[in-house]
Amino acid sequence: MRREGARRGGRRPRTGRAGYHHGDLPRALVDAALELISREGVRALTLRAAARRAGVSQAAPYRHFADKDALLAAVAEEGFRLLTASMRTAAPSTGDDPLGRFRGFGLGYVAFAAGHPAHFRVMFGREVADRARHPGLQAAGGEAFALLVDAIRACQQAGLVREGDTETLAVSAWSTVHGLAALVVDGQLDRDGSPDVAALAHAVTGSLFFGLAAPRPAGG
Amino acid sequence: MRREGARRGGRRPRTGRAGYHHGDLPRALVDAALELISREGVRALTLRAAARRAGVSQAAPYRHFADKDALLAAVAEEGFRLLTASMRTAAPSTGDDPLGRFRGFGLGYVAFAAGHPAHFRVMFGREVADRARHPGLQAAGGEAFALLVDAIRACQQAGLVREGDTETLAVSAWSTVHGLAALVVDGQLDRDGSPDVAALAHAVTGSLFFGLAAPRPAGG
DNA sequence: CATGAAATGTTGACGATGTCAACACCGTCG
DNA sequence: CGACGGTGTTGACATCGTCAACATTTCATG
C-alpha cells in the first residue's frame, strides 16, 4: 500500500541501496505481513513467507525483528498509529461541536477497521503473545482511548452528555464502536445482505449518543 | 472443567472403554484445546500438544477431526451453544418484562465471554480459517443473534424500544455487548484498575438502553 | 584509495508442527 | 472362533521458527 518499489531501481535514500542489501527490509516485511494476513488469514503469516515475498532469505528478518512476535507487534503498533490518525481525520476539530467531534471519533474508528482489517486483527487479536514485552503497544492504544475520554469530557462540560464517571462512559462508547468494528472485520455481519458499513456505523453511533445524552431540560 | 478422568478407571459408558481405546477422545481433545488456549494462548494450541495432553499419539486426533481447523471449529461451535445457554440463563423468561429479558441477554453475553475466554477467542478470532467449511458455526451464531432480534422486537411491540429496522437495532445492541466482551477478553481494559466486569456490563447495557429507548410520551 | 568494523543477507541445521500412509489392537457380529 | 470396522500407533515428509557460521556490502576512518 505504501511505498513498495521505488528503491531497487537506483535511487538511494539515506538508508537504502540496491542489490545485495534490500533498502528497507523492515517496511517490506511489515507490508508483506499485511498482505499475507489480508489474503489468507493470520494463520498464513509466516516469517519465511514474508521473507520470500520481500525477496530475501529465511533468516534475513532476524536482522530487524527479534522474532515473529516482534514483527506482529510492529504491525499492531503501526495500526494504532493509523487508528488515531483515522479518528483525528474523521473528527472535526472545531471547538464548538464536541458532540460532532465525539461522533467523528466513532466513525473514524469503524472506518479504520473496515479499511485496515489486517491491522485491526493483529491489534486486537491474540496473535501478539506477550503484549507486555512490546512497549508502545499499550501506549499507542492508550492514546486512542485518551482521545475518546477527552472528547467525552468536553461533551460533559458542554452539558451534552450526562454526568458520571467519564472513563466508564468512554468504555461504553469504545465498546460500541469496537464491537461493530470487530463484527465487521470478522465478517460476522454478512448474514443476509447488510454490507453497508457506513450506514451501520451511523446507526450504531446514533443509538450510542441517545444513550449517553444528557437528560433534556424540561420543555427543551 | 467438564469431565476429565472418570473413565479410564474401569467404568464403561456406552461408547467408551479403558486401555487401548480412549473412551471419549473428541471430548478430551476439545478440553485439552481449551486448557492450552486458556493457559498459553491460541498460539500454543497444537494438535500434537492436545494429543499429548489427552494421552494419545500424535495422529490419533485425525480419527475424529479432519484437521486442526476442525478441532477449532468444534470448540467454536460448543462455544456458541454455551453462549446461547448463558444468554437464556441470564434472561428472565417472564413474558411481561421484555426489557429485562433484553438486558439479561446482554449481561449473559458478557458473562459468557468473561467466563469462557478460550471459547470466546476461538469463536470470534480468526483461528478457524475457513468458516464456510464448518456448517453449524454460522448457524450457531445466527441462533444467538436471532434471540436478540426477537427480544428487541418484543420490546418494540411493547413500546419500550423505539421503532426502526429491528435488525439494525440488534446490530447496535450486539456491537455494544460484543465490544465490551471483546475488550474484556483481550485484557484491553486492564488499564488502571477497573476489573469489575459486572459493573461495567451494567453501565454499558444501561447506556445502550437509553439509546434504544422509545421516546417518552410527553409528561411521562 | 585502502582497510577494517558494523550492518545486513545467506546457507545449513535442529527441533517441532500438521498431515499422511501403513500397521496394530480391540470389540463386535456372524 | 474368525473376519471386519473403528480406533490408536509408528514412521515419514515438507514446512516452520530459530540459531550459528559465513559472506557481502557500506561506512568511517587513515
Side-chain angles (χ1 to χ4, degrees), chain A residues 103 106-107 110 172-181 183-184 189 196-212, chain B residues 162 167-177 207-208 211-212:
Chain A
R103 178 166 210 169
L107 299 178
V110 176
S172 212
W174 194 16
S175 291
T176 303
V177 293
H178 179 77
L180 177 59
L183 294 173
V184 166
L189 292 182
D196 194 347
V197 175
L200 273 179
H202 275 277
V204 168
T205 55
S207 291
L208 170 63
F209 295 139
F210 275 114
L212 297 182
Chain B
R162 69 169 195 270
E167 293 236 345
T168 299
L169 294 178
V171 168
S172 210
W174 194 16
S175 292
T176 304
V177 292
S207 293
L208 170 64
L212 297 182

Side-chain angles (χ1 to χ4, degrees), chain B residues 141-157:
Chain B
E143 187 180 350
F145 187 68
L147 224 53
L148 199 61
V149 173
D150 288 348
I152 292 183
R153 201 188 322 276
C155 289
Q156 286 180 310
Q157 285 168 353

Side-chain angles (χ1 to χ4, degrees), chain A residues 87-125:
Chain A
M87 287 169 68
R88 287 204 166 100
T89 299
S93 55
T94 67
D96 54 346
D97 183 10
L99 206 60
R101 183 169 167 77
F102 177 31
R103 178 166 210 169
F105 284 158
L107 299 178
Y109 195 105
V110 176
F112 164 79
H116 303 78
H119 276 107
F120 190 87
R121 279 186 207 123
V122 176
M123 289 160 67
F124 296 105

Side-chain angles (χ1 to χ4, degrees), chain A residues 43 69 121 124 126-127 142 162 168 172 174-176 178-180 183 186 188 191 203-204 207 210-212, chain B residues 43 69 121 124 126-127 142 162 168 172 174-176 178-180 183 186 188 191 203-204 207 210-212:
Chain A
R43 296 273 291 275
D69 251 38
R121 279 186 207 123
F124 296 105
R126 259 288 163 250
E127 322 308 334
R162 69 169 195 271
T168 299
S172 212
W174 194 16
S175 291
T176 303
H178 179 77
L180 177 59
L183 294 173
D186 277 352
Q188 210 76 24
R191 220 152 277 289
V204 168
S207 291
F210 275 114
L212 297 182
Chain B
R43 296 272 291 274
D69 251 39
R121 281 187 205 124
F124 296 106
R126 258 288 163 250
E127 321 310 333
R162 69 169 195 270
T168 299
S172 210
W174 194 16
S175 292
T176 304
H178 180 77
L180 177 59
L183 294 174
D186 278 353
Q188 211 75 23
R191 219 151 279 285
V204 168
S207 293
F210 274 112
L212 297 182

